[in-house]
Amino acid sequence: MKIYTKTGDTGKTSLLGGKRVSKADLRIDAYGTVDELNAFIGLLRDQEINYKREYLMKEVQDRLFTIGSVLASEPGKSVKHPDLHEEDLDVLEKEIDQMEALLPPLRNFVLPGGHQVVSFCHLARTVCRRTERCIIALMEVEEVDEIIIKYLNRLSDYLFVLGRLISKELGIEEVTWKPRS
């Protein structure tokens, strides 16, 4: 089977269910941004410091594929795909709580950076937030299960706290924002 089909050469693509839509459609933008986020999670997973978190990050990537398949499905068509569950939110919340227990309280805004891996966390976090905005824009015109937004919101929090924890694990001082007076 060839990877190229040429069916997208005119700027259209197919949703799961068969409907052809513009590649600029909000739905395509939403699941394309989920795919971008998934690539950043893969980059984070591949960092040596995250080997002990590899299983969780793979689970996050699996959930992002679930979200992508839901968003790639034609509304109103019965297309079989996996679902997100409240337990998926619970997993992220538990991880966030465990990481925060190891960190000092946050007293200032944290500037992205300090180490390459910390920067990767912040890149993934900002792509996660953009993904959330894309899906909210889609929700304004079509029905989308709210658990997707909840999951992405929790994931961006996880990525922020993960960046803080990695700074600590690496012995890197967090770079905090100190506004000019």
Side-chain angles (χ1 to χ4, degrees):
M1 180 169 121
K2 293 183 179 183
I3 189 68
Y4 58 89
T5 62
K6 301 182 184 181
T7 59
D9 290 353
T10 60
K12 300 272 187 189
T13 192
S14 294
L15 297 175
L16 298 176
K19 182 179 179 182
R20 303 277 300 162
V21 297
S22 166
K23 289 183 176 184
D25 187 274
L26 287 174
R27 184 169 288 280
I28 306 306
D29 191 31
Y31 76 72
T33 310
V34 169
D35 188 34
E36 182 183 356
L37 173 58
N38 208 333
F40 273 102
I41 299 297
L43 178 66
L44 267 176
R45 190 188 78 217
D46 291 343
Q47 302 307 303
E48 187 175 335
I49 195 165
N50 286 324
Y51 287 164
K52 60 187 169 238
R53 292 178 267 269
E54 186 176 12
Y55 178 79
L56 175 64
M57 289 189 173
K58 185 190 173 298
E59 286 297 310
V60 167
Q61 288 187 289
D62 288 346
R63 298 300 80 74
L64 291 173
F65 255 86
T66 295
I67 291 169
S69 69
V70 169
L71 295 172
S73 299
E74 184 178 339
K77 286 276 185 163
S78 179
V79 178
K80 186 169 175 58
H81 51 70
D83 293 325
L84 280 177
H85 302 283
E86 290 293 327
E87 294 81 28
D88 298 318
L89 301 172
D90 295 340
V91 167
L92 290 177
E93 290 172 1
K94 180 181 174 188
E95 289 296 321
I96 291 167
D97 292 344
Q98 289 175 353
M99 289 188 298
E100 282 189 318
L102 301 172
L103 296 168
L106 190 61
R107 303 206 187 287
N108 297 302
F109 287 105
V110 175
L111 296 177
H115 188 278
Q116 187 176 35
V117 180
V118 175
S119 294
F120 290 158
C121 285
H122 285 287
L123 283 168
R125 175 186 57 80
T126 59
V127 172
C128 188
R129 288 293 188 199
R130 180 163 36 92
T131 303
E132 187 179 12
R133 291 189 304 272
C134 286
I135 296 171
I136 289 169
L138 177 63
M139 286 176 82
E140 291 177 356
V141 295
E142 295 181 23
E143 186 174 327
V144 177
D145 191 339
E146 288 183 8
I147 196 168
I148 291 173
I149 297 301
K150 290 179 183 178
Y151 186 82
L152 292 170
N153 192 34
R154 235 42 113 257
L155 180 57
S156 65
D157 292 338
Y158 168 80
L159 292 167
F160 176 77
V161 176
L162 178 61
R164 293 193 68 215
L165 182 63
I166 289 173
S167 288
K168 180 180 179 184
E169 290 172 349
L170 293 171
I172 306 293
E173 186 176 337
E174 288 184 307
V175 181
T176 58
W177 180 53
K178 294 176 177 61
R180 290 185 286 186
S181 13

